[in-house]
Amino acid sequence: MTISIAIIGAGPAGYYTAEAAQKQWGEGVRIDIIDRLPSPYGLIRAGVAPDHQSIKAVTKRYEATNLAPGTRLVGHVEVGRDVSVEELLGLYDAVVLSVGAPLDKPIGIPGDDLPGVVGSAAFVGWYNGHPDHAGLKVDLSHHGAAIIGNGNVAIDCARILAKTVEELSTTDIANHALKVLAASAVRDVHIVGRRGPHQASFTTKEAGELGHLVRAQAIVKPGDLPPEAEDAALEPGHRKMVTHLRSFAGQPRNDKPGTINFEFFRRPVAVEGHGKAERLIVETTRLEDGQAVGTGELHAIPCGLVIACIGYRTAEIPGVAWSDKLGRFPTDDAGRIAPGLYASGWARRGPSGTIGTNRPDGFSVVAAMVDDGISPSGKAGPAGLDALFAARAVKATDFAGWHRIEAAEVAGARPGAPREKIVDVAQMLALA
């Protein structure tokens, strides 16, 4: 007999967990990687910025994992709709929830429900061609855009808004987004953060890229920077990032038509407008013991688009404990939810870390399975899932089907672009 494992989610966390199980049990394990879309790779496909193609090369590693004997992709299957977690636990020796954190956290300020206010998961999914967000209405008719958050996602959104169509046309940005961006009136992008440069979580590469845009200049107010001597207390990588911010503060205004303005020490308090977003009201803050404290001084940032890059939440799954406070499944340190049920990746630890952070995470979950004595129990495993789907007329897709989708995307690419993503699930299914 072999061990059978169901992994829910075909993103980085799911694939690294599968890789860890393969290394632990070799040909003695059968793994089903289940995803609600016919396309795998999760945030590598729908979250990594389209102009960062080198990062997406990690999918070759995931492909090798999926093509290993005993492992298969079970696409277009939604847990909670087509099969329950309870049923999976009856079929497999272990079940791992690697579903990520696909839902935006709300801003929680007056006016955050106005048209023109979107979360970064929706906005990034829109320009990356995620089927859930391909139909998002993005109005770029206003000269200003405000992005709330001081992390890399905020920089990604700013960069996409600021780049020229020529810079983006050779990426895998979705064609529907490229058309909207081509007609964009946005000139001034504002990245809004409650605290200062030393507290920002940008990485060096992402911050540095803003100094090389064709039509936009990155601007930092010199008064927002702490004394340079205080940089010595920072970690080397963070210090280098702050060096980029200092370089932006030291440059005179050039003749580029656009700007990316770092609005440090600004706390969003309201979105205002007549029937749609027209300005973001922010309060000036100061630091007290590392925390942002409001000063009562308010001013308005003119903008027709407000993008909230303030974090994500895991979607609830029927029959699984979920914490509203955590925004994810409550687990122990090893990722255990209940006997035989585990979580890995963002579903386990929340939306933090890099893509590579998910690898040790996946391996630790498999180590927990070993500690728990997970072993072949004679459960039906993949064959049992196939029988259940046959009884329910559920038609799952496989990795060969994904290859057919991928081939069609490559064939339909713009000149110089790696692919043109198919955003309609029905079209994907017809191909798969």
Side-chain angles (χ1 to χ4, degrees):
M1 291 192 296
T2 58
I3 292 173
S4 59
I5 299 174
I7 297 172
I8 318 305
Y15 276 107
Y16 285 127
T17 303
E19 178 187 333
Q22 291 171 353
K23 290 184 181 296
Q24 176 65 41
W25 290 294
E27 294 186 5
V29 65
R30 295 292 177 267
I31 304 169
D32 278 350
I33 303 173
I34 303 171
D35 201 278
R36 67 185 182 90
L37 292 177
S39 55
Y41 306 143
L43 282 184
I44 301 297
R45 178 174 167 86
V48 172
D51 54 350
H52 284 176
Q53 287 297 309
S54 61
I55 297 175
K56 301 189 181 192
V58 72
T59 58
K60 294 299 182 184
R61 179 179 191 141
Y62 303 157
E63 181 174 44
T65 297
N66 216 134
L67 293 175
T71 298
R72 63 178 186 169
L73 174 69
V74 182
H76 194 235
V77 169
E78 184 171 341
V79 175
R81 180 192 66 189
D82 300 313
V83 62
S84 69
V85 169
E86 183 180 7
E87 288 170 327
L88 292 172
L89 287 168
L91 292 171
Y92 295 85
D93 297 312
V95 176
V96 185
L97 306 181
S98 305
V99 294
L103 305 179
D104 283 302
K105 285 184 179 179
I107 307 174
I109 59 176
D112 65 359
D113 58 347
L114 285 171
V117 181
V118 300
S120 57
F123 185 71
V124 171
W126 170 73
Y127 66 64
N128 265 327
H130 192 292
D132 288 355
H133 305 296
L136 184 72
K137 302 302 180 185
V138 177
D139 184 356
L140 302 181
S141 61
H142 195 286
H143 70 84
I147 302 171
I148 302 171
N150 268 186
N152 281 343
V153 176
I155 284 189
D156 283 346
C157 293
R159 197 176 62 252
I160 295 299
L161 288 171
K163 278 196 167 184
T164 64
V165 171
E166 290 73 25
E167 288 174 289
L168 294 172
S169 63
T170 55
T171 75
D172 65 352
I173 191 169
N175 200 47
H176 62 252
L178 191 63
K179 289 179 179 177
V180 174
L181 289 163
S184 172
V186 174
R187 298 190 312 273
D188 302 308
V189 179
H190 303 264
I191 301 177
V192 180
R194 293 175 299 137
R195 298 188 293 171
H198 278 193
Q199 292 75 40
S201 56
F202 313 127
T203 55
T204 301
K205 178 180 183 295
E206 276 67 21
E209 284 180 311
L210 298 187
H212 303 283
L213 299 175
V214 171
R215 70 178 183 95
Q217 178 181 5
I219 296 174
V220 173
K221 301 179 184 68
D224 285 344
L225 288 159
E228 191 168 355
E230 295 181 12
D231 292 358
L234 301 174
E235 293 293 327
H238 200 70
R239 189 185 314 135
K240 191 171 182 181
M241 182 278 291
V242 173
T243 299
H244 284 305
L245 298 180
R246 290 192 183 280
S247 72
F248 300 154
Q251 294 176 348
R253 183 72 177 94
N254 58 34
D255 58 358
K256 293 180 180 180
T259 61
I260 295 178
N261 303 274
F262 286 88
E263 304 282 355
F264 292 113
F265 302 108
R266 301 286 187 268
R267 181 176 70 90
V269 296
V271 181
E272 295 181 346
H274 296 294
K276 62 179 181 179
E278 294 176 341
R279 56 194 166 272
L280 176 67
I281 306 302
V282 296
E283 179 184 18
T284 300
T285 65
R286 64 174 184 273
L287 287 181
E288 290 185 6
D289 297 324
Q291 300 301 311
V293 176
T295 64
E297 178 187 337
L298 302 178
H299 76 270
I301 296 175
C303 56
L305 176 67
V306 178
I307 305 170
C309 305
I310 58 174
Y312 308 102
R313 295 163 69 86
T314 295
E316 296 183 59
I317 295 178
V320 181
W322 194 84
S323 168
D324 185 66
K325 180 180 179 181
L326 296 172
R328 58 175 174 81
F329 310 113
T331 71
D332 68 7
D333 290 343
R336 298 179 182 90
I337 299 173
L341 182 62
Y342 305 83
S344 69
W346 283 7
R348 169 190 172 184
R349 67 179 192 276
S352 62
T354 64
I355 292 165
T357 307
N358 293 292
R359 187 172 189 272
D361 204 55
F363 275 75
S364 67
V365 166
V366 170
M369 293 182 193
V370 174
D371 290 343
D372 293 345
I374 297 295
S375 59
S377 64
K379 291 182 178 182
L385 186 68
D386 291 346
L388 185 149
F389 285 169
R392 294 178 180 173
V394 173
K395 295 183 178 180
T397 61
D398 57 17
F399 207 72
W402 155 242
H403 276 158
R404 288 189 284 275
I405 295 169
E406 186 178 39
E409 291 184 340
V410 172
R414 296 181 299 272
R419 68 188 62 79
E420 177 56 43
K421 290 175 186 168
I422 296 169
V423 301
D424 181 70
V425 172
Q427 187 181 354
M428 286 185 182
L429 293 175
L431 290 162

